Amino acid sequence: MKLTARVPATSANLGPGFDCFGLALDLCNEVTIDTEAEPRISWEGEGADELPTDGTDMVSRAIAATVERLGADRPGGGIPPFALHGVNRIPLARGLGSSSAAAVAGVALASALIGSAGPGGDPAMTFAVAAELEGHPDNAAPAVYGGLTVVAEGSVRRLDVHPAIRPVALVPEGIRVPTDAARRALPTTVPLADAVFNVAHAALVVTALTGGDLELLRVALRDRLHEEARLSLVPPVRAVMGDLRAAGVPVCVSGSGPTLLAFEQEGVPVPHPGAGWRVLRLAVRPRGVEVVSA
Ligand code: HSE
């Protein structure tokens, strides 16, 4: 059997929706497993020369976790040996959910192989296993469900994004920030006024994204819980964010950074930040992970 999982990049937080909001972007990794090929692990694309090939990568760990969860009580338990090949398009350690995408791909592939999932898979199980393994439910949710997602108390609510919403990911090429370092930079307590600010702005983000209101989005994306601490780790990114805001562009830090997520209006493109930045104009992806017979 040969199966391919296609799974999207995601941008978590969306400014004030820290640890709750996520958006699926139309930039997909593809992972293929082939139970008839000689077992081996190989990668191409982003991070191909640095990802492990000994089974400790996130896709393989997610496959193992899923087998343990679903396969243990089945006759023969588990799945046959397989070759795994990943085509990676999501930049690594840049705040675009590459690690959640890998976890979601692994869970979706394993459950398809075990045969526990119907044609559409079992999204709730895929989300639960991937989020627990990878640790960031706000990335796992849009990777599984597509669109705009809100995670609250472990449950996911998915919303459609208005077609006028056009995300632009601005990826600083030479800068990486591991998520755990970006989390260590955060304060452990926040002033009540800042929490109130974020509650109000988070509600406005949902209104702006579902209603296609770019003017509102410019105001709504403001955050007081995490962005300042993250930007202080990467001064060149902070400078670009300041320039974009001064130019009236709706923009936030993508996930834990250092990528910035901006939004453009037809006829008003987001300006290129200059040398050393990759600009990815990515539609919102309405669908999450898909597994197809290769
Ligand atoms: N909400 C998480 C964070 C996302 O900002 O740390 C990590 O990708």
Side-chain angles (χ1 to χ4, degrees):
M1 194 191 291
K2 194 171 174 185
L3 297 171
T4 297
R6 190 170 303 123
V7 59
T10 53
S11 184
N13 300 329
L14 301 169
F18 178 63
D19 275 0
C20 315
F21 291 179
L23 191 64
L25 300 171
D26 203 4
L27 176 72
C28 290
N29 283 357
E30 286 173 358
V31 185
T32 299
I33 53 178
D34 185 348
T35 57
E36 273 137 50
E38 177 147 347
R40 70 189 283 261
I41 296 173
S42 54
W43 306 103
E44 64 179 272
E46 297 286 333
D49 50 357
E50 57 188 291
L51 287 168
T53 55
D54 61 358
T56 57
D57 65 279
M58 184 56 85
V59 179
S60 301
R61 285 165 51 208
I63 291 174
T66 310
V67 169
E68 194 177 322
R69 173 129 164 190
L70 295 180
D73 58 349
R74 286 163 189 272
I79 53 181
F82 54 84
L84 184 156
H85 181 69
V87 178
N88 292 338
R89 302 190 181 92
I90 307 172
L92 261 51
R94 297 311 212 307
L96 287 170
S98 63
S99 155
S100 279
V104 167
V107 179
L109 283 168
S111 38
L113 259 188
I114 292 170
S116 73
D122 177 352
M125 188 280 293
T126 305
F127 167 71
V129 177
E132 186 183 330
L133 180 70
E134 198 271 339
H136 298 292
D138 49 339
N139 282 114
V144 172
Y145 293 95
L148 168 65
T149 51
V150 181
V151 179
E153 299 186 47
S155 294
V156 180
R157 178 57 62 108
R158 180 198 175 284
L159 297 159
D160 282 321
V161 172
H162 194 281
I165 296 297
R166 301 152 64 119
V168 182
L170 305 169
V171 187
E173 290 289 11
I175 304 175
R176 287 189 184 196
V177 180
T179 302
D180 51 354
R183 290 192 83 85
R184 279 197 301 274
L186 299 179
T188 50
T189 58
V190 297
L192 185 61
D194 289 351
V196 171
F197 179 98
N198 268 49
V199 170
H201 284 72
L204 297 182
V205 167
V206 174
T207 307
L209 290 178
T210 55
D213 188 338
L214 272 290
E215 273 307 304
L216 180 61
L217 192 59
R218 195 150 53 87
V219 179
L221 287 176
R222 299 273 175 181
D223 157 83
R224 285 194 186 162
L225 297 187
H226 66 105
E227 288 195 345
E228 190 47 43
R230 264 90 191 255
L231 289 169
S232 69
L233 301 174
V234 282
V237 178
R238 185 215 288 257
V240 168
M241 175 105 154
D243 291 347
L244 290 172
R245 285 226 158 121
V249 175
V251 61
C252 61
V253 175
S254 182
S256 59
T259 292
L260 298 176
L261 188 71
F263 294 86
E264 66 189 9
Q265 272 172 287
E266 190 153 12
V268 191
V270 170
H272 197 299
W277 288 78
R278 200 182 337 170
V279 176
L280 302 171
R281 295 195 149 76
L282 305 168
V284 174
R285 186 176 156 91
R287 299 176 313 285
V289 65
E290 296 165 333
V291 177
V292 294
S293 247

